[in-house]
Amino acid sequence: IALLHEREAALAEEKARLQAGKLKGDLARKERMLHERLISQETCEDARHQWTQADLECRQARLQLENMAILSPITGTVTARNLRVGELATLNHKAFSVVDLTALECVGFIPEKQIGTLRADQKAQILPDALPGRVYAAAILRISPVIDTASGTVKVTLRVANPDAALLPGMFVKVNILLDTRLDAVLLPKKAVLYQDGVSGVFIVRDEDAEGNGRARWTPLQTGYTTPEQVEVAGGVAPDDRVVLV
């Protein structure tokens, strides 16, 4: 994503490479002389040590040259650039911010009483405020091992799939975590539920005649789980009852 001024590092790498090559040739010549017993073993070992040192310096210079290129550790999108062309780059200077928009994380705070129902890889849904009607699949990535005593909540981090890259870092979202599943549940629209003296109930059509006309009678309702639009019937209404919606 960026290339630092590399002329000095390139010259240092070339100098170290030439020196290492020269000493490698000297070592090969002295090994032949040792084989012919023209020099001592100590002289050959000194040449080998000099070449080893030069080779290390050459590799170090090559590494410094490679470090002139600033590489992103991930494949993503550059969201911030803190360096400009010609600016002096110092050690530990933050150069760029790179974000992988296809796999985001979401942080939420769950009431302490729900901690026993949470587990890693638990399924969830992400509903962004800025994208009405859009639902994104998510799963619990990790759960904090401590409780925030000030708020009585536990921090939960979720992994969010973002295949269309429509979710952006910093968005406010609603999180729905799936705690339980009930099959063959009887559901009613929430708008059909009314309250009398704090008791929930619905109007059910009774005493129907042959033409389907009947009388609406209020019946107490026992509710179970709820969603933003629906409520589960736990008792009071049968699946074949006719319920007044409006």
Side-chain angles (χ1 to χ4, degrees):
I1 54 179
L3 186 65
L4 300 181
H5 191 63
E6 62 177 355
R7 184 179 304 171
E8 184 176 351
L11 291 175
E13 189 273 338
E14 183 178 2
K15 180 181 177 180
R17 178 163 45 83
L18 292 175
Q19 180 67 13
K22 176 180 178 299
L23 293 177
K24 186 176 181 180
D26 291 343
L27 174 61
R29 184 172 63 256
K30 289 182 178 180
E31 285 179 340
R32 290 194 300 270
M33 294 174 67
L34 177 64
H35 181 70
E36 298 173 0
R37 297 183 179 182
L38 298 176
I39 60 174
S40 65
Q41 179 71 33
E42 183 179 1
T43 302
C44 185
E45 289 298 329
D46 288 341
R48 183 181 303 277
H49 176 73
Q50 293 177 8
W51 172 77
T52 302
Q53 184 68 25
D55 183 62
L56 289 175
E57 293 177 356
C58 179
R59 285 188 285 173
Q60 184 177 8
R62 187 180 301 117
L63 178 61
Q64 291 179 349
L65 179 60
E66 294 174 354
N67 288 339
M68 293 295 103
I70 301 178
L71 305 179
S72 172
I74 62 172
T75 300
T77 302
V78 176
T79 58
R81 184 182 70 175
N82 302 314
L83 283 178
R84 298 295 182 268
V85 176
E87 185 177 353
L88 178 63
T90 59
L91 189 63
N92 295 327
H93 184 96
K94 183 177 180 180
F96 296 89
S97 293
V98 182
V99 176
D100 182 5
L101 297 178
T102 60
L104 301 179
E105 290 186 1
C106 175
V107 176
F109 297 87
I110 309 301
E112 178 184 355
K113 63 181 180 180
Q114 300 287 354
I115 190 173
T117 62
L118 302 178
R119 66 183 185 279
D121 295 328
Q122 193 166 351
K123 303 301 182 183
Q125 292 179 332
I126 300 297
L127 294 82
D129 293 344
L131 303 173
R134 305 284 288 275
V135 179
Y136 291 85
I140 294 180
L141 183 62
R142 55 184 175 269
I143 303 171
S144 174
V146 297
I147 303 294
D148 183 356
T149 55
S151 62
T153 59
V154 59
K155 180 180 178 181
V156 177
T157 303
L158 300 100
R159 178 178 59 252
V160 185
N162 187 25
D164 56 1
L167 281 177
L168 301 178
M171 276 186 171
F172 287 96
V173 298
K174 293 183 177 65
V175 179
N176 289 338
I177 299 178
L178 182 62
L179 300 180
D180 190 16
T181 301
R182 291 183 181 172
L183 302 177
D184 300 325
V186 179
L187 303 178
L188 280 176
K190 274 189 174 180
K191 64 180 181 180
V193 181
L194 304 175
Y195 294 88
Q196 294 187 10
D197 299 328
V199 178
S200 61
V202 293
F203 281 96
I204 299 178
V205 179
R206 302 292 190 189
D207 305 326
E208 295 182 68
D209 56 22
E211 297 179 358
N213 300 317
R215 184 181 297 274
R217 300 183 182 275
W218 188 85
T219 303
L221 176 67
Q222 299 175 18
T223 60
Y225 292 150
T226 63
T227 70
E229 295 82 21
Q230 295 176 313
V231 60
E232 178 192 11
V233 176
V237 177
D240 56 351
D241 285 338
R242 294 182 61 194
V243 178
V244 179
L245 299 183
V246 181

